[in-house]
Amino acid sequence: MTTHYDVVIVGAGLVGLSLAPALARTGLSVALIDRGPLADVEADAETFDARVYAISPGSAGFLRTVGGWQALDGERVAPIESMHVEGDGGGSIDFSAYDLGERALAWIVEERELRSALLRTARRSGIDMIANATLDTLAWSASAATLKLADGRAVDARLIVGADGARSWVRESAGIVAEPKSYGQTAVVANFACERAHHGRAYQWFRDDGGVLAWLPLPGRRMSMVWSAPDALAQTLLAEETGALSARVADAGHRMLGALECITPPAGFPLRFLRLPTSVALRLALVGDAAHGVHPLAGQGVNLGFGDAQTLAAVLAERGPVTDAGAPILLERYARRRAEPVLAMQTVTDGLARLFSPPTPWLKALRNAGISAVDRLPVLKRALAQPALR
């Protein structure tokens, strides 16, 4: 038995969950399918999720339009009001939300909290949700794409959206081949209680070993660490007992927030770069990590994904007399609108990651001088910050 939809979204991560209600608002029939459960995770007032995201003002605006942002518990969201970035040789640059005319440079939100808020929003939008699905086959014809599940069910749609992550099954089924390229680094994440208040200030240090250490403010005297460390160091960090890890992280950040106490077990995520030859194909659009991968040093991976969702929803909302959600003219329009911002962000993040990886002394001096020079040029600094605010 086959159920028919305008759009089927495969993958209920944050991007897929935001896209579903956005598309439902345009009058399309939508189904959201995921391999895992689609159930809320109960929040624990005493603990914070180790995995957090820096949500840009532009992404927050998009999430507000679909109803997800206002579903968050405001007590568990922290603004980044300023940011201090240091190079590996004395160079530094500071950003201020006030100087840029923004309430915050970004908002730090736990993955667990944002996912639960978007799940509630998706349910209220009236879409069909299929959980714990084992995907079997995906086939295309001129008029529709048909997705068969292992339990015998099938759905077909004018448009299939792959929102199923960096190792996308949908992308592979479509024959879009691109192997993610490893940075040789692992992002180690953990949360810490801090001796000193952070005052909404984030910190980022480029390190001599090519890694990047970031401290992001959480509500209260807490902060979230993201240490993009060479794989060998990452394994050491993950294996350390909490007291030793707390001391190491505090020292690595020059004890800017005083003594630290690790309050969540550390977790690690391998870092990969992914650039595809195309993000669309016959009756297919890719969004989020299925469409691109970036280094997390600017915290822009999920924001690029929300940009994909916002753009695809806008293209389909503006479809006019075109009734087919998978029409080539619409997919080409989506790909064209996303090509420049994705390429620009990949170029900047990948370029910075590579710029700070070689130990060459003259290059080290040059890149740190460059950072400090940008800090003294407000117009250039504003231009550098603007893409991260979208």
Side-chain angles (χ1 to χ4, degrees), residues 14 41 43-44 46-53 76 108-116 189-192 218 222-225 263-265 267 269:
L14 298 182
V41 178
D44 183 343
E46 300 302 318
T47 64
F48 279 76
D49 191 351
R51 190 166 192 177
V52 303
Y53 292 98
R76 300 187 74 96
I108 301 301
V109 185
E110 299 161 79
E111 197 273 348
R112 178 181 63 203
E113 292 292 314
L114 186 51
R115 177 175 168 78
S116 291
V189 299
N191 297 335
F192 296 83
L218 290 174
R222 306 180 186 91
M223 71 87 173
S224 175
M225 174 201 76
I263 56 176
T264 63
F269 304 91

Side-chain angles (χ1 to χ4, degrees), residues 5-10 20 29-33 127-130 155:
Y5 297 95
D6 290 313
V7 183
V8 168
I9 302 167
V10 180
S29 59
V30 180
L32 179 64
I33 300 176
I127 67 168
D128 288 345
M129 303 175 73
I130 303 173
V155 296

Side-chain angles (χ1 to χ4, degrees), residues 48-57 60 69 72-83 104-114 190-191 198 200-203 214-220 222-226 296 298-300 302-303:
F48 279 76
D49 191 351
R51 190 166 192 177
V52 303
Y53 292 98
I55 306 300
S56 70
W69 192 251
L72 288 167
D73 179 355
E75 296 296 315
R76 300 187 74 96
V77 179
I80 297 180
E81 298 179 343
S82 63
M83 185 169 188
L105 297 173
W107 302 87
I108 301 301
V109 185
E110 299 161 79
E111 197 273 348
R112 178 181 63 203
E113 292 292 314
L114 186 51
N191 297 335
H198 51 63
R201 190 169 180 82
Y203 298 87
W215 290 1
L216 306 172
L218 290 174
R222 306 180 186 91
M223 71 87 173
S224 175
M225 174 201 76
V226 183
Q300 291 304 303
V302 75
N303 292 311

Side-chain angles (χ1 to χ4, degrees), residues 8-213:
V8 168
I9 302 167
V10 180
L14 298 182
V15 175
L17 284 170
S18 69
L19 177 60
L23 291 180
R25 292 162 61 93
T26 70
L28 296 168
S29 59
V30 180
L32 179 64
I33 300 176
D34 196 79
R35 300 184 187 197
L38 293 174
D40 290 341
V41 178
E42 289 296 325
D44 183 343
E46 300 302 318
T47 64
F48 279 76
D49 191 351
R51 190 166 192 177
V52 303
Y53 292 98
I55 306 300
S56 70
S59 292
F62 166 61
L63 295 176
R64 189 175 292 110
T65 65
V66 301
W69 192 251
Q70 49 271 53
L72 288 167
D73 179 355
E75 296 296 315
R76 300 187 74 96
V77 179
I80 297 180
E81 298 179 343
S82 63
M83 185 169 188
H84 177 72
V85 181
E86 283 190 17
D88 56 350
S92 67
I93 186 170
D94 288 276
F95 296 97
S96 162
Y98 178 83
D99 291 343
L100 294 168
E102 298 284 348
R103 167 65 183 86
L105 297 173
W107 302 87
I108 301 301
V109 185
E110 299 161 79
E111 197 273 348
R112 178 181 63 203
E113 292 292 314
L114 186 51
R115 177 175 168 78
S116 291
L118 289 173
L119 270 169
R120 295 192 297 272
T121 302
R123 291 194 193 101
R124 289 195 301 267
S125 70
I127 67 168
D128 288 345
M129 303 175 73
I130 303 173
N132 300 310
T134 301
L135 310 177
D136 188 14
T137 61
L138 184 54
W140 281 266
S141 68
S143 60
T146 301
L147 173 62
K148 292 184 178 180
L149 307 181
D151 62 8
R153 288 179 293 174
V155 296
D156 70 16
R158 295 300 187 102
L159 174 64
I160 295 286
V161 178
D164 53 339
R167 298 286 184 181
S168 171
W169 178 88
V170 171
R171 187 181 69 226
E172 183 178 328
S173 298
I176 301 175
V177 179
E179 185 66 22
K181 182 171 57 177
S182 173
Y183 277 107
Q185 295 180 343
T186 298
V188 179
V189 299
N191 297 335
F192 296 83
C194 311
E195 180 183 7
R196 300 177 193 150
H198 51 63
H199 301 294
R201 190 169 180 82
Y203 298 87
Q204 183 167 279
W205 294 273
F206 290 91
R207 295 172 52 81
D208 286 335
D209 59 10
V212 184
L213 173 64

